[in-house]
Coordinates of all heavy atoms in Angstrom, one line a residue:
A197 N -23.3 -21.2 15.5 CA -22.3 -21.9 14.8 C -20.9 -21.9 15.5 O -20.6 -20.9 16.1 CB -22.1 -21.2 13.4
M198 N -20.2 -23.0 15.3 CA -18.9 -23.1 15.9 C -17.9 -23.5 14.8 O -18.2 -24.4 13.9 CB -18.8 -24.2 16.9 CG -17.5 -24.4 17.6 SD -16.4 -25.6 16.7 CE -17.2 -27.1 16.8
T199 N -16.8 -22.8 14.7 CA -15.8 -23.0 13.6 C -14.4 -23.2 14.2 O -14.0 -22.5 15.2 CB -15.8 -21.9 12.6 OG1 -17.0 -21.8 12.0 CG2 -14.7 -22.1 11.6
I200 N -13.7 -24.2 13.7 CA -12.3 -24.4 14.1 C -11.5 -24.5 12.9 O -11.9 -25.1 11.9 CB -12.1 -25.6 15.0 CG1 -10.6 -25.7 15.5 CG2 -12.5 -26.9 14.3 CD1 -10.3 -26.7 16.5
S201 N -10.4 -23.7 12.8 CA -9.5 -23.7 11.7 C -8.0 -23.9 12.1 O -7.7 -23.5 13.2 CB -9.6 -22.4 10.9 OG -10.9 -22.3 10.3
A202 N -7.2 -24.4 11.2 CA -5.8 -24.6 11.6 C -5.0 -24.6 10.3 O -5.5 -24.9 9.2 CB -5.5 -25.9 12.3
G203 N -3.7 -24.2 10.4 CA -2.9 -24.1 9.2 C -1.4 -24.3 9.6 O -1.0 -24.1 10.8
A204 N -0.6 -24.7 8.6 CA 0.8 -24.9 8.9 C 1.6 -24.5 7.7 O 1.2 -24.7 6.5 CB 1.1 -26.4 9.2
D205 N 2.8 -23.9 7.9 CA 3.7 -23.5 6.9 C 5.0 -24.4 7.0 O 5.8 -24.2 7.9 CB 4.0 -22.0 7.0 CG 4.9 -21.5 5.9 OD1 5.3 -22.3 5.0 OD2 5.3 -20.3 5.9
L206 N 5.1 -25.3 6.1 CA 6.2 -26.3 6.2 C 7.2 -26.0 5.0 O 7.4 -26.8 4.1 CB 5.7 -27.7 6.1 CG 4.6 -28.0 7.0 CD1 4.0 -29.4 6.7 CD2 5.0 -27.9 8.5
G207 N 7.8 -24.8 5.1 CA 8.8 -24.5 4.0 C 8.1 -24.2 2.7 O 7.2 -23.2 2.6
D208 N 8.3 -25.0 1.7 CA 7.6 -24.8 0.4 C 6.2 -25.3 0.4 O 5.5 -25.1 -0.6 CB 8.4 -25.5 -0.7 CG 9.8 -24.8 -1.0 OD1 9.9 -23.6 -0.7 OD2 10.7 -25.5 -1.4
F209 N 5.8 -26.1 1.4 CA 4.5 -26.6 1.5 C 3.7 -25.9 2.6 O 4.2 -25.4 3.6 CB 4.6 -28.1 1.9 CG 5.2 -29.0 0.9 CD1 6.6 -29.2 0.9 CD2 4.5 -29.6 -0.1 CE1 7.2 -30.0 0.0 CE2 5.1 -30.4 -1.1 CZ 6.5 -30.6 -1.0
G210 N 2.4 -25.8 2.3 CA 1.4 -25.2 3.2 C 0.1 -26.0 3.2 O -0.2 -26.7 2.2
V211 N -0.5 -26.1 4.4 CA -1.8 -26.8 4.5 C -2.7 -26.1 5.4 O -2.3 -25.4 6.3 CB -1.5 -28.3 5.1 CG1 -0.9 -28.2 6.5 CG2 -2.8 -29.1 5.0
G212 N -4.0 -26.2 5.1 CA -5.0 -25.5 5.9 C -6.3 -26.4 6.0 O -6.6 -27.1 5.1
V213 N -6.9 -26.4 7.2 CA -8.1 -27.1 7.4 C -9.1 -26.3 8.1 O -8.8 -25.4 8.9 CB -7.9 -28.4 8.2 CG1 -7.0 -29.4 7.4 CG2 -7.3 -28.1 9.5
T214 N -10.4 -26.5 7.9 CA -11.5 -25.8 8.6 C -12.7 -26.7 8.8 O -13.0 -27.6 7.9 CB -11.9 -24.5 7.9 OG1 -12.8 -23.7 8.7 CG2 -12.5 -24.8 6.5
Y215 N -13.4 -26.5 9.9 CA -14.6 -27.3 10.2 C -15.6 -26.4 10.9 O -15.3 -25.6 11.8 CB -14.3 -28.5 11.1 CG -15.5 -29.2 11.5 CD1 -16.1 -30.2 10.7 CD2 -16.1 -29.0 12.8 CE1 -17.2 -30.9 11.1 CE2 -17.3 -29.6 13.2 CZ -17.8 -30.6 12.3 OH -18.9 -31.3 12.7
T216 N -16.9 -26.4 10.4 CA -17.9 -25.6 11.0 C -19.1 -26.5 11.3 O -19.5 -27.4 10.5 CB -18.4 -24.5 10.0 OG1 -17.4 -23.5 9.8 CG2 -19.7 -23.8 10.5
D217 N -19.7 -26.3 12.5 CA -20.9 -27.0 12.9 C -22.0 -25.9 13.1 O -21.9 -25.1 14.1 CB -20.7 -27.8 14.1 CG -21.9 -28.7 14.5 OD1 -22.9 -28.7 13.7 OD2 -21.9 -29.3 15.5
N218 N -23.0 -25.9 12.3 CA -24.1 -24.9 12.4 C -25.4 -25.5 12.7 O -25.8 -26.6 12.2 CB -24.2 -24.2 11.0 CG -25.3 -23.1 11.0 OD1 -26.4 -23.3 11.2 ND2 -24.8 -21.8 10.8
D219 N -26.1 -25.0 13.7 CA -27.4 -25.6 14.2 C -28.4 -25.8 13.1 O -29.1 -26.7 13.1 CB -28.0 -24.7 15.3 CG -27.2 -24.7 16.6 OD1 -26.4 -25.6 16.7 OD2 -27.5 -23.8 17.4
A220 N -28.4 -24.8 12.1 CA -29.4 -24.9 11.1 C -28.9 -25.7 9.8 O -29.7 -26.5 9.3 CB -29.8 -23.5 10.7
S221 N -27.7 -25.4 9.4 CA -27.3 -26.0 8.1 C -26.4 -27.3 8.3 O -26.1 -27.9 7.3 CB -26.5 -25.0 7.3 OG -25.4 -24.5 8.0
G222 N -26.0 -27.6 9.5 CA -25.2 -28.8 9.7 C -23.8 -28.5 9.6 O -23.3 -27.4 9.8
A223 N -23.0 -29.6 9.3 CA -21.5 -29.5 9.3 C -21.0 -29.2 7.9 O -21.6 -29.5 6.9 CB -20.9 -30.8 9.8
A224 N -19.8 -28.6 7.9 CA -19.1 -28.3 6.7 C -17.6 -28.3 7.0 O -17.2 -28.0 8.1 CB -19.5 -26.9 6.1
Y225 N -16.8 -28.7 6.0 CA -15.4 -28.8 6.2 C -14.6 -28.6 4.9 O -15.2 -28.8 3.8 CB -15.0 -30.1 6.9 CG -15.2 -31.3 6.0 CD1 -14.1 -31.8 5.2 CD2 -16.4 -32.0 5.9 CE1 -14.3 -32.9 4.3 CE2 -16.6 -33.1 5.0 CZ -15.5 -33.5 4.3 OH -15.6 -34.6 3.4
G226 N -13.3 -28.3 5.0 CA -12.5 -28.2 3.9 C -11.1 -28.4 4.2 O -10.6 -28.1 5.4
I227 N -10.3 -28.7 3.2 CA -8.8 -28.9 3.4 C -8.1 -28.3 2.2 O -8.6 -28.6 1.0 CB -8.4 -30.3 3.7 CG1 -6.9 -30.4 3.9 CG2 -8.9 -31.3 2.6 CD1 -6.4 -31.8 4.4
S228 N -7.0 -27.6 2.3 CA -6.3 -27.1 1.2 C -4.8 -27.4 1.4 O -4.3 -27.5 2.5 CB -6.5 -25.6 1.0 OG -5.9 -24.9 2.1
G229 N -4.1 -27.5 0.3 CA -2.7 -27.7 0.3 C -2.0 -27.0 -0.8 O -2.6 -26.8 -1.9
S230 N -0.8 -26.4 -0.5 CA -0.1 -25.6 -1.5 C 1.3 -26.0 -1.6 O 1.9 -26.5 -0.6 CB -0.3 -24.1 -1.2 OG 0.4 -23.8 0.0
F231 N 1.9 -25.8 -2.8 CA 3.4 -26.1 -3.0 C 4.0 -24.9 -3.8 O 3.5 -24.6 -4.8 CB 3.6 -27.4 -3.7 CG 5.0 -27.6 -4.1 CD1 6.0 -27.8 -3.1 CD2 5.4 -27.7 -5.4 CE1 7.3 -28.0 -3.5 CE2 6.7 -27.9 -5.8 CZ 7.7 -28.1 -4.8
D232 N 5.0 -24.3 -3.2 CA 5.7 -23.3 -3.9 C 6.8 -23.9 -4.8 O 7.9 -24.3 -4.3 CB 6.3 -22.3 -2.9 CG 6.9 -21.1 -3.6 OD1 7.2 -21.1 -4.8 OD2 7.2 -20.1 -2.9
A233 N 6.6 -24.0 -6.1 CA 7.5 -24.6 -7.0 C 8.6 -23.6 -7.5 O 9.4 -24.0 -8.4 CB 6.8 -25.2 -8.2
G234 N 8.6 -22.4 -7.0 CA 9.6 -21.5 -7.4 C 9.0 -20.5 -8.4 O 8.9 -19.3 -8.2

Side-chain angles (χ1 to χ4, degrees):
M198 181 276 293
T199 296
I200 183 169
S201 297
D205 184 0
L206 309 172
D208 292 334
F209 294 90
V211 63
V213 295
T214 188
Y215 174 83
T216 293
D217 188 6
N218 182 295
D219 288 346
S221 60
Y225 68 92
I227 181 170
S228 66
S230 63
F231 173 65
D232 188 343

